């Protein structure tokens, strides 16, 4: 399966992040968990640029609308910790998907016929 381009991954991360922020605005901890899930899922399918941008955008939504007062971007110890967490999750998910792709390529399971179709 091909990776989606960075712009598409960024857009997908931003759209899902806006949805999470909208529906979990009263519960910042739940929102943080769901935003981390968005970053991981998008990072599994996109390039490193898309993964990084999705993490940065989800952090921006979290720091602005869930922690910030009246929509102000809040940069403090807590939000910088969240930024580091989201970027690390994006990098780990990207590397994990790259490792799976390399293993599938080396073992030949990526190019083989599907056992379901046989």
């Amino acid at each position: 399966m091909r990776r989606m381009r960075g712009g598409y991954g960024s857009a997908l991360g931003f759209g899902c992040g806006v949805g999470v922020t909208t529906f979990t605005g009263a519960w910042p901890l739940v929102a943080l968990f769901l935003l981390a899930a968005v970053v991981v899922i998008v990072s599994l399918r996109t390039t490193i640029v898309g993964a990084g941008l999705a993490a940065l955008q989800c952090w921006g939504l979290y720091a602005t609308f869930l922690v910030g007062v009246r929509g102000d971007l809040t940069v403090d110890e807590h939000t910088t910790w969240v930024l580091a967490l989201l970027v690390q999750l994006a990098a780990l998910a990207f590397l994990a998907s790259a490792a799976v792709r390399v293993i599938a390529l080396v073992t030949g399971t990526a190019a083989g016929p599907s056992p379901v179709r046989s």
Side-chain angles (χ1 to χ4, degrees), residues 42-89:
V42 169
S43 297
L44 288 171
R45 291 285 303 129
T46 189
T47 63
I48 192 68
V49 173
L53 288 174
L56 186 63
Q57 290 167 345
C58 285
W59 170 77
L61 290 167
Y62 179 81
T64 302
F65 298 110
L66 297 170
V67 175
V69 179
R70 296 182 318 269
D72 296 333
L73 180 63
T74 303
V75 180
D76 59 6
E77 184 178 310
H78 173 70
T79 58
T80 53
W81 177 83
V82 170
L83 175 61
L85 174 74
L86 292 177
V87 169
Q88 288 175 7
L89 286 174

Side-chain angles (χ1 to χ4, degrees), residues 1-117:
M1 201 172 353
R2 293 183 50 207
R3 291 189 184 276
M4 65 176 114
R5 293 182 181 169
Y8 293 125
S10 172
L12 180 63
F14 183 71
C16 292
V18 167
V20 165
T21 304
T22 301
F23 292 112
T24 61
W27 304 288
L29 189 60
V30 173
L32 177 59
F33 178 76
L34 292 175
L35 287 171
V38 165
V39 168
V40 168
I41 291 169
V42 169
S43 297
L44 288 171
R45 291 285 303 129
T46 189
T47 63
I48 192 68
V49 173
L53 288 174
L56 186 63
Q57 290 167 345
C58 285
W59 170 77
L61 290 167
Y62 179 81
T64 302
F65 298 110
L66 297 170
V67 175
V69 179
R70 296 182 318 269
D72 296 333
L73 180 63
T74 303
V75 180
D76 59 6
E77 184 178 310
H78 173 70
T79 58
T80 53
W81 177 83
V82 170
L83 175 61
L85 174 74
L86 292 177
V87 169
Q88 288 175 7
L89 286 174
L92 288 174
F94 174 79
L95 291 174
S97 79
V100 167
R101 291 170 194 267
V102 168
I103 290 170
L105 184 65
V106 168
T107 60
T109 56
S114 170
V116 175
R117 293 187 213 157

